[in-house]
Amino acid sequence: MEKAPSSSVEIVEVGPRDGLQNIAEFIPTSVKQELISRLRLAGLRAIELTSLVSPRAVPQLADGRELLEHPHIQGLLADTSLRLPVLVPNIKGLDVALQRGVREVAVFVSATEGFSRVNTNCTRRQGVERAKEVVVRAQEFGISVRGYVSCIFSDPYDGPTEPSSVLSCVKELLAMGCHEISLGDTLGTGSPRDVRKLLTYLKDNGIPMSRLAGHFHDTHGNAVANVWEAYHCGLRVFDSSVNGLGGCPFAPGARGNVATEDLLYLFMKAGIDTGIDISKVVDTGAWVSGMLGDQLGCNSCSQP
Ligand code: HMG
Ligand code: MG
């Protein structure tokens, strides 16, 4: 899997997973499939398709298996030039992914205890061990693994995060074999100053910026600025969600991911190549907001 050259950035579209997971009313699998198809047609080459987690934890994505079996999704999965990760919490999820031709999975750990317990029913340490089991088995099958570290700045239950906790999660995920670590500002509380401080700390402690991705939620409207700061610190991979959809059911009050449209506009105006057709993404955003209608507001309904 090639990294984007340094003069360009890679956008990882997480709308079909992070964007939809917190929406209460079930979205038909056919709509999810069409969303992915439209994103691909807009030029996105890295799309997180869904998650294979406990259906009780995230009922909205309980159709992950069916989605992956859809002939159109199977066709995309056969294209080895695309990155189509699927989020898995454990071996059970990995095995389902393996049986459906998935070539990249994403594991997730929290830098903090509170979110780890609520999101994955385990301690931070147990979460890292669980991720390791997935990575070891994935590697036996030649599956690449992306790692997420959540709550890089703050935790909805524990408050501010120690940078040393982020560092140890990043180190452990890299050591176990994750090819890229996506740093999740799950609550969207970070500012550009926080971004620079954390990335400088990670760099000073030996973490190559080329192995990191930025995953910024937009609770306080800082996400685009955070991406720009992270770009200047050396990051070249950014997660985003069409129309700014998104949020985590276990991070109450957090808003969606930074909007893919906003990132494309930012980079286009800066003369930085993304290889993506912004007008088609804007059309896809309008289409998905039409499909979801009133549901779009629900990410902001729950308060911390
Ligand atoms: P648990 O209850 O401790 O696990 O949950 P368990 O092994 O005891 O299993 C409980 C039930 O779940 C069983 O079913 C299992 O079969 C089933 P039952 O026998 O009771 O009917 N189960 C599964 N079903 C399907 N697929 C699976 C699976 N695993 C177990 N893979 C567990 C532990 C981790 C499974 C659960 O807490 C869970 O699924 N958590 C995931 C929560 C989640 O998806 N959160 C959102 C994604 S993370 C996020 O959004 C942050 C991110 O965007 C970055 C950022 O913004 O920071 C990535
Ligand atoms: Mg997220």
Side-chain angles (χ1 to χ4, degrees):
M1 185 178 315
E2 278 183 29
K3 288 265 180 200
S6 57
S7 57
S8 63
V9 294
E10 180 178 20
I11 306 282
V12 179
E13 168 65 48
V14 296
R17 193 279 301 172
D18 208 343
L20 302 184
Q21 69 183 7
N22 200 26
I23 292 177
E25 194 174 311
F26 187 73
I27 300 160
T29 312
S30 58
V31 173
K32 292 168 178 153
Q33 177 268 310
E34 187 169 349
L35 173 62
I36 292 164
S37 301
R38 285 175 181 259
L39 291 165
R40 172 67 203 103
L41 286 174
L44 280 146
R45 304 190 62 79
I47 305 173
E48 194 174 53
L49 296 176
T50 187
S51 63
L52 295 165
V53 302
S54 159
R56 265 190 280 158
V58 182
Q60 180 58 254
L61 301 183
D63 62 347
R65 297 170 189 227
E66 291 73 29
L67 179 84
L68 295 174
E69 282 164 7
H70 190 285
H72 189 84
I73 303 296
Q74 282 290 309
L76 293 179
L77 284 167
D79 182 345
T80 54
S81 72
L82 301 176
R83 281 186 70 184
L84 302 168
V86 170
L87 191 80
V88 300
N90 51 21
I91 295 286
K92 184 168 183 163
L94 173 67
D95 284 346
V96 174
L98 281 171
Q99 287 151 14
R100 283 152 186 85
V102 170
R103 284 175 289 99
E104 180 175 356
V105 293
V107 293
F108 50 111
V109 301
S110 177
T112 53
E113 289 297 337
F115 186 71
S116 181
R117 285 182 187 278
V118 176
N119 195 39
T120 48
N121 194 28
C122 66
T123 64
R124 183 179 163 281
R125 170 96 331 256
Q126 288 165 335
V128 170
E129 290 307 319
R130 217 184 255 169
K132 193 170 181 182
E133 287 171 24
V134 173
V135 175
V136 168
R137 185 163 164 78
Q139 284 176 336
E140 284 167 18
F141 288 86
I143 302 295
S144 67
V145 187
R146 166 175 232 238
Y148 281 104
V149 178
S150 288
C151 298
I152 57 167
F153 298 127
S154 61
D155 174 294
Y157 312 97
D158 296 350
T161 303
E162 283 296 328
S164 57
S165 302
V166 180
L167 175 66
S168 71
C169 287
V170 171
K171 274 187 172 168
E172 286 181 280
L173 288 170
L174 286 175
M176 67 179 78
C178 291
H179 72 90
E180 172 178 285
I181 312 300
S182 181
L183 299 174
D185 180 12
T186 319
L187 281 196
T189 52
S191 68
R193 189 163 172 262
D194 300 323
V195 169
R196 178 160 291 271
K197 219 169 138 190
L198 180 64
L199 292 179
T200 303
Y201 171 78
L202 294 177
K203 199 186 287 183
D204 289 349
N205 281 280
I207 305 296
M209 295 295 102
S210 59
R211 303 293 294 277
L212 300 178
H215 180 105
F216 298 104
H217 283 266
D218 205 16
T219 312
H220 298 286
N222 265 350
V224 168
N226 289 344
V227 167
W228 192 230
E229 191 68 24
Y231 176 84
H232 286 290
C233 292
L235 264 62
R236 292 293 179 270
V237 184
F238 298 99
D239 301 352
S240 64
S241 176
V242 64
N243 206 36
L245 298 172
C248 177
F250 307 103
R255 299 295 293 266
N257 297 91
V258 64
T260 307
E261 296 89 324
D262 291 344
L263 279 203
L264 295 179
Y265 190 74
L266 172 79
F267 288 123
M268 183 181 76
K269 295 295 274 188
I272 297 162
D273 185 35
T274 60
I276 300 162
D277 183 334
I278 186 169
S279 62
K280 286 191 182 158
V281 177
V282 169
D283 290 347
T284 302
W287 174 82
V288 77
S289 77
M291 294 307 288
L292 301 181
D294 293 345
Q295 304 250 47
L296 281 177
C298 80
N299 286 327
S300 54
C301 291
S302 46
Q303 292 301 316

